[in-house]
């Protein structure tokens, strides 16, 4: 049977990839290595190692229910008591292996109780959530890998925890991969936040947004509103005033979005603004929210700040910049809010009100 159908996806015009400068992640990292004689080369090698691994992980994710990694709950739990799925474990194994051939001494992962010592002679550590949003795996929703790169402090063999108890401001780089409609890599090495999109055509990550800036104002918020009754009065007051719309004190309508994978919500906020919140609440085990400071809040806060946004913790002690907090443990949770700077400031104002 013959068909005259012509796919609209086959076009002769140049793609945006061809029009873009064509800067690949490798070029970008080579430049970073050359212009930062101290840590630049090592950080670049680590980021490249992570990026290569993300392509492998993405291939497994793309198989979906047809692949063996979607076998479901594995029966074991991680350090925080969450069910682990096959894919969490697989992603963790892949990233751990990838870090063996780059200058990483310590690997601190959401999936492993204690940091893993890879090579005590090396000078860098990686804090990672290998599969953020893993409860969305079976639902074909975007999930991701989020990480921060830290300098090793003290003696990694004797006291591996010490390195992970540095504030987020010590991070040399941070980023996340998002396994969504596109495989994208959001990264900062301390000079802005940049987004690379993986091109299957060229087999490389290509710079798509250089120095992305989060719009400082927004009318979109992200929170799991089903927890409303569990929040503090201040948190409820802030959200209630957003919901009051044009007739309320904010005088405008706010829209809500909640993916349930922080990386996906963060990506949207980087692209079009917004505020993300996971506050502490009254549920058992949720007094400091759900997100982990060292390998979730710190990386996303570096990316938000480097994109002109803000990132804070609001709790009974007041308002603190996330990147200034000294962690008490690798798996510590933290109430987190980040996004458009003016909206983050506004939330901080509500939190300070008596
Ligand atoms: P999982 O990785 O266990 O799915 O957790 C994802 C997450 O830490 C973060 O990515 C989401 O923003 C948040 O949890 C969603 O939490 P709720 O299910 O309480 O809305």
């Amino acid at each position: 049977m013959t068909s005259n159908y012509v796919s609209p996806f086959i076009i002769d015009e140049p793609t945006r990839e061809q029009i873009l400068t064509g800067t690949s992640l490798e070029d970008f990292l080579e430049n970073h290595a050359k212009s930062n004689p101290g840590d630049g080369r090592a950080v670049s090698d680590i980021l490249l190692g992570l990026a290569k691994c993300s392509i492998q992980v993405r291939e497994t994710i793309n198989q979906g229910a047809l692949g063996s990694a979607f076998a479901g709950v594995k029966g074991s739990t991680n350090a925080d008591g969450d069910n682990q799925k096959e894919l969490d474990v697989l992603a963790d194994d892949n990233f751990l292996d990838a870090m063996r051939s780059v200058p990483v001494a310590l690997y601190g992962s959401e999936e492993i109780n204690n940091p893993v010592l890879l090579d005590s002679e090396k000078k860098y550590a990686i804090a990672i959530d290998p599969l953020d949003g893993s409860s969305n795996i079976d639902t074909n929703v975007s999930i991701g890998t989020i990480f921060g790169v830290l300098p090793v402090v003290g003696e990694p063999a004797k006291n591996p925890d010490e390195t992970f108890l540095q504030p987020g401001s010590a991070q040399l780089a941070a980023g996340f991969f998002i396994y969504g409609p596109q495989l994208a890599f959001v990264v900062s090495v301390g000079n802005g936040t940049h987004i690379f999109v993986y091109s299957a055509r060229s087999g490389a990550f290509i710079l798509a947004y250089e120095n992305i800036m989060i719009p400082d104002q927004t009318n979109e918020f992200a929170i799991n509103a089903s927890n409303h009754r569990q929040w503090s009065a201040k948190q409820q007051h802030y959200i209630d005033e957003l919901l009051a719309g044009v007739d309320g004190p904010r005088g405008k309508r706010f829209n809500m979005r909640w993916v349930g994978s922080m990386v996906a919500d963060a990506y949207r906020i980087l692209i079009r603004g917004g505020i993300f919140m996971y506050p502490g609440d009254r549920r058992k085990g949720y007094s400091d929210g759900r997100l982990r400071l060292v390998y979730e809040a710190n990386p996303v806060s570096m990316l938000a700040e480097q994109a002109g946004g803000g990132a804070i913790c609001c709790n009974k002690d007041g308002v603190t910049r996330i990147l200034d907090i000294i962690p008490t443990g690798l798996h510590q949770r933290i109430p987190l809010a980040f996004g458009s700077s003016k909206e983050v400031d506004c939330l901080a104002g509500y939190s300070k009100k008596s």
Side-chain angles (χ1 to χ4, degrees):
M1 198 173 103
T2 57
S3 161
N4 294 328
Y5 175 75
V6 179
S7 166
F9 297 107
I10 300 172
I11 47 175
D12 291 331
E13 287 164 25
T15 63
R16 188 158 180 267
E17 180 189 335
Q18 289 160 329
I19 298 165
L20 285 166
T21 57
T23 304
S24 69
L25 181 64
E26 292 196 9
D27 295 342
F28 173 86
L29 293 175
E30 185 54 32
N31 188 34
H32 177 65
K34 284 192 180 137
S35 42
N36 293 275
D39 302 306
R41 176 63 61 193
V43 168
S44 293
D45 287 352
I46 294 167
L47 295 177
L48 214 50
L50 290 164
K52 282 183 185 155
C53 185
S54 77
I55 299 166
Q56 259 176 277
V57 171
R58 146 77 160 217
E59 276 169 18
T60 309
I61 291 169
N62 277 2
Q63 291 167 21
L66 305 180
S68 55
F70 278 70
V73 177
K74 206 187 176 206
S76 57
T77 53
N78 67 12
D80 223 41
D82 298 333
N83 281 328
Q84 282 182 305
K85 296 195 172 184
E86 290 282 3
L87 206 54
D88 300 50
V89 178
L90 204 81
D92 194 44
D93 290 349
N94 285 352
F95 282 107
L96 175 58
D97 268 356
M99 295 300 93
R100 292 184 196 281
S101 46
V102 292
V104 165
L106 290 163
Y107 180 85
S109 161
E110 185 191 22
E111 301 301 330
I112 308 174
N113 284 344
N114 298 307
V116 178
L117 181 67
L118 297 178
D119 182 344
S120 56
E121 299 298 308
K122 301 285 175 2
K123 294 191 176 136
Y124 303 92
I126 182 115
I128 189 166
D129 178 355
L131 220 50
D132 173 57
S134 53
S135 51
N136 282 326
I137 287 171
D138 299 327
T139 63
N140 204 6
V141 164
S142 299
I143 51 180
T145 297
I146 182 161
F147 68 86
V149 179
L150 288 157
V152 164
V153 292
E155 293 185 58
K158 283 194 185 145
N159 187 0
D161 287 339
E162 195 180 346
T163 290
F164 297 100
L165 303 185
Q166 301 176 78
S169 54
Q171 292 172 120
L172 299 168
F176 64 78
F177 300 95
I178 179 158
Y179 312 107
Q182 307 115 40
L183 169 59
F185 182 26
V186 181
V187 65
S188 178
V189 287
N191 66 345
T193 293
H194 316 289
I195 301 183
F196 293 81
V197 173
Y198 180 69
S199 159
R201 184 197 297 251
S202 50
F205 281 95
I206 307 291
L207 185 59
Y209 302 93
E210 189 172 11
N211 275 317
I212 194 156
M213 294 303 283
I214 302 175
D216 63 351
Q217 302 196 45
T218 185
N219 59 356
E220 200 159 73
F221 67 99
I223 195 163
N224 184 338
S226 69
N227 298 320
H228 184 283
R229 70 187 182 288
Q230 313 280 4
W231 298 331
S232 69
K234 287 176 183 175
Q235 181 67 37
Q236 285 175 340
H237 185 209
Y238 170 71
I239 295 294
D240 291 348
E241 295 206 345
L242 299 187
L243 294 175
V246 284
D247 301 326
R250 299 297 304 274
K252 61 177 179 175
R253 183 185 176 275
F254 278 81
N255 186 34
M256 197 195 92
R257 285 284 182 273
W258 183 251
V259 179
S261 295
M262 187 188 68
V263 288
D265 284 309
Y267 195 86
R268 185 189 61 253
I269 288 170
L270 283 160
I271 297 289
R272 69 180 194 206
I275 182 167
F276 173 103
M277 287 154 283
Y278 210 120
D281 66 53
R282 280 189 280 274
R283 284 174 297 161
K284 193 165 182 285
Y286 278 79
S287 57
D288 288 320
R290 181 177 171 120
L291 281 308
R292 282 61 157 189
L293 173 60
V294 178
Y295 43 77
E296 292 180 317
N298 277 341
V300 84
S301 298
M302 178 171 179
L303 296 168
E305 284 197 4
Q306 288 288 325
I312 55 171
C313 159
C314 303
N315 61 14
K316 58 179 172 24
D317 301 326
V319 177
T320 319
R321 176 182 177 234
I322 291 282
L323 295 178
D324 286 339
I325 297 171
I326 313 271
T328 54
L330 174 61
H331 301 290
Q332 175 189 354
R333 293 181 180 211
I334 201 80
L336 170 66
F338 67 86
S340 296
S341 59
K342 289 199 171 140
E343 200 53 44
V344 170
D345 290 348
C346 183
L347 170 67
Y350 279 75
S351 302
K352 284 175 192 157
K353 275 183 204 156
S354 52

